[in-house]
Tab-separated table of all heavy atoms in Angstrom:
chain	number	residue	atom	x	y	z
A	322	LYS	N	-1.288	44.151	-69.262
A	322	LYS	CA	-0.118	44.223	-68.379
A	322	LYS	C	-0.523	44.072	-66.918
A	322	LYS	O	0.148	43.394	-66.138
A	322	LYS	CB	0.619	45.545	-68.611
A	322	LYS	CG	1.923	45.658	-67.829
A	322	LYS	CD	2.788	46.796	-68.339
A	322	LYS	CE	2.109	48.130	-68.177
A	322	LYS	NZ	2.980	49.266	-68.538
A	323	GLN	N	-1.643	44.688	-66.528
A	323	GLN	CA	-2.124	44.586	-65.149
A	323	GLN	C	-2.570	43.158	-64.825
A	323	GLN	O	-2.302	42.651	-63.733
A	323	GLN	CB	-3.288	45.558	-64.915
A	323	GLN	CG	-2.880	47.016	-64.789
A	323	GLN	CD	-2.046	47.262	-63.547
A	323	GLN	OE1	-0.825	47.291	-63.611
A	323	GLN	NE2	-2.694	47.399	-62.423
A	324	MET	N	-3.242	42.510	-65.777
A	324	MET	CA	-3.682	41.129	-65.543
A	324	MET	C	-2.481	40.202	-65.375
A	324	MET	O	-2.495	39.298	-64.542
A	324	MET	CB	-4.570	40.659	-66.694
A	324	MET	CG	-5.932	41.352	-66.736
A	324	MET	SD	-6.946	40.862	-68.163
A	324	MET	CE	-7.230	39.137	-67.796
A	325	GLU	N	-1.438	40.445	-66.165
A	325	GLU	CA	-0.218	39.642	-66.035
A	325	GLU	C	0.482	39.925	-64.708
A	325	GLU	O	0.964	39.008	-64.035
A	325	GLU	CB	0.721	39.941	-67.202
A	325	GLU	CG	2.006	39.110	-67.172
A	325	GLU	CD	2.902	39.411	-68.362
A	325	GLU	OE1	2.481	40.185	-69.252
A	325	GLU	OE2	4.036	38.894	-68.390
A	326	LYS	N	0.494	41.175	-64.292
A	326	LYS	CA	1.153	41.568	-63.040
A	326	LYS	C	0.513	40.892	-61.840
A	326	LYS	O	1.194	40.433	-60.925
A	326	LYS	CB	1.095	43.087	-62.878
A	326	LYS	CG	1.677	43.597	-61.567
A	326	LYS	CD	1.554	45.111	-61.472
A	326	LYS	CE	2.061	45.618	-60.118
A	326	LYS	NZ	1.917	47.092	-60.009
A	327	PHE	N	-0.829	40.832	-61.823
A	327	PHE	CA	-1.540	40.274	-60.678
A	327	PHE	C	-1.944	38.814	-60.904
A	327	PHE	O	-2.745	38.269	-60.143
A	327	PHE	CB	-2.780	41.111	-60.361
A	327	PHE	CG	-2.456	42.471	-59.840
A	327	PHE	CD1	-2.465	43.576	-60.685
A	327	PHE	CD2	-2.110	42.646	-58.515
A	327	PHE	CE1	-2.160	44.839	-60.204
A	327	PHE	CE2	-1.806	43.909	-58.024
A	327	PHE	CZ	-1.824	45.011	-58.873
A	328	SER	N	-1.373	38.185	-61.952
A	328	SER	CA	-1.609	36.758	-62.221
A	328	SER	C	-3.098	36.435	-62.328
A	328	SER	O	-3.591	35.477	-61.735
A	328	SER	CB	-0.958	35.903	-61.127
A	328	SER	OG	0.420	36.155	-61.037
A	329	VAL	N	-3.844	37.262	-63.062
A	329	VAL	CA	-5.283	37.041	-63.240
A	329	VAL	C	-5.492	36.017	-64.349
A	329	VAL	O	-5.040	36.208	-65.478
A	329	VAL	CB	-6.006	38.365	-63.584
A	329	VAL	CG1	-7.477	38.092	-63.857
A	329	VAL	CG2	-5.835	39.359	-62.450
A	330	HIS	N	-6.136	34.910	-64.029
A	330	HIS	CA	-6.391	33.856	-65.012
A	330	HIS	C	-7.733	34.089	-65.707
A	330	HIS	O	-8.656	34.639	-65.105
A	330	HIS	CB	-6.392	32.488	-64.328
A	330	HIS	CG	-5.081	32.138	-63.689
A	330	HIS	ND1	-3.957	31.835	-64.416
A	330	HIS	CD2	-4.715	32.091	-62.380
A	330	HIS	CE1	-2.954	31.583	-63.595
A	330	HIS	NE2	-3.389	31.728	-62.345
A	331	PRO	N	-7.862	33.674	-66.957
A	331	PRO	CA	-9.130	33.900	-67.678
A	331	PRO	C	-10.251	33.038	-67.113
A	331	PRO	O	-10.138	31.818	-67.057
A	331	PRO	CB	-8.788	33.482	-69.114
A	331	PRO	CG	-7.651	32.532	-68.969
A	331	PRO	CD	-6.863	33.002	-67.794
A	332	THR	N	-11.299	33.672	-66.631
A	332	THR	CA	-12.504	32.985	-66.169
A	332	THR	C	-13.690	33.676	-66.822
A	332	THR	O	-13.544	34.720	-67.465
A	332	THR	CB	-12.644	33.064	-64.639
A	332	THR	OG1	-12.800	34.443	-64.267
A	332	THR	CG2	-11.422	32.489	-63.951
A	333	MET	N	-14.877	33.090	-66.658
A	333	MET	CA	-16.075	33.718	-67.218
A	333	MET	C	-16.302	35.104	-66.614
A	333	MET	O	-16.726	36.033	-67.299
A	333	MET	CB	-17.300	32.823	-66.962
A	333	MET	CG	-17.282	31.536	-67.762
A	333	MET	SD	-17.212	31.850	-69.555
A	333	MET	CE	-17.085	30.187	-70.179
A	334	ASP	N	-15.992	35.261	-65.307
A	334	ASP	CA	-16.160	36.567	-64.664
A	334	ASP	C	-15.189	37.593	-65.243
A	334	ASP	O	-15.542	38.751	-65.475
A	334	ASP	CB	-15.932	36.451	-63.159
A	334	ASP	CG	-17.198	36.016	-62.432
A	334	ASP	OD1	-18.299	36.346	-62.898
A	334	ASP	OD2	-17.075	35.354	-61.399
A	335	VAL	N	-13.935	37.169	-65.484
A	335	VAL	CA	-12.938	38.083	-66.053
A	335	VAL	C	-13.358	38.519	-67.458
A	335	VAL	O	-13.254	39.692	-67.822
A	335	VAL	CB	-11.545	37.419	-66.076
A	335	VAL	CG1	-10.565	38.250	-66.889
A	335	VAL	CG2	-11.032	37.232	-64.660
A	336	ILE	N	-13.852	37.554	-68.255
A	336	ILE	CA	-14.317	37.882	-69.605
A	336	ILE	C	-15.472	38.872	-69.543
A	336	ILE	O	-15.522	39.848	-70.300
A	336	ILE	CB	-14.735	36.597	-70.347
A	336	ILE	CG1	-13.496	35.725	-70.614
A	336	ILE	CG2	-15.429	36.933	-71.655
A	336	ILE	CD1	-13.821	34.348	-71.152
Side-chain angles (χ1 to χ4, degrees):
K322 185 166 62 174
Q323 285 294 97
M324 290 177 65
E325 182 179 355
K326 176 181 177 181
F327 292 98
S328 302
V329 176
H330 298 289
T332 63
M333 291 301 176
D334 275 329
V335 170
I336 292 171

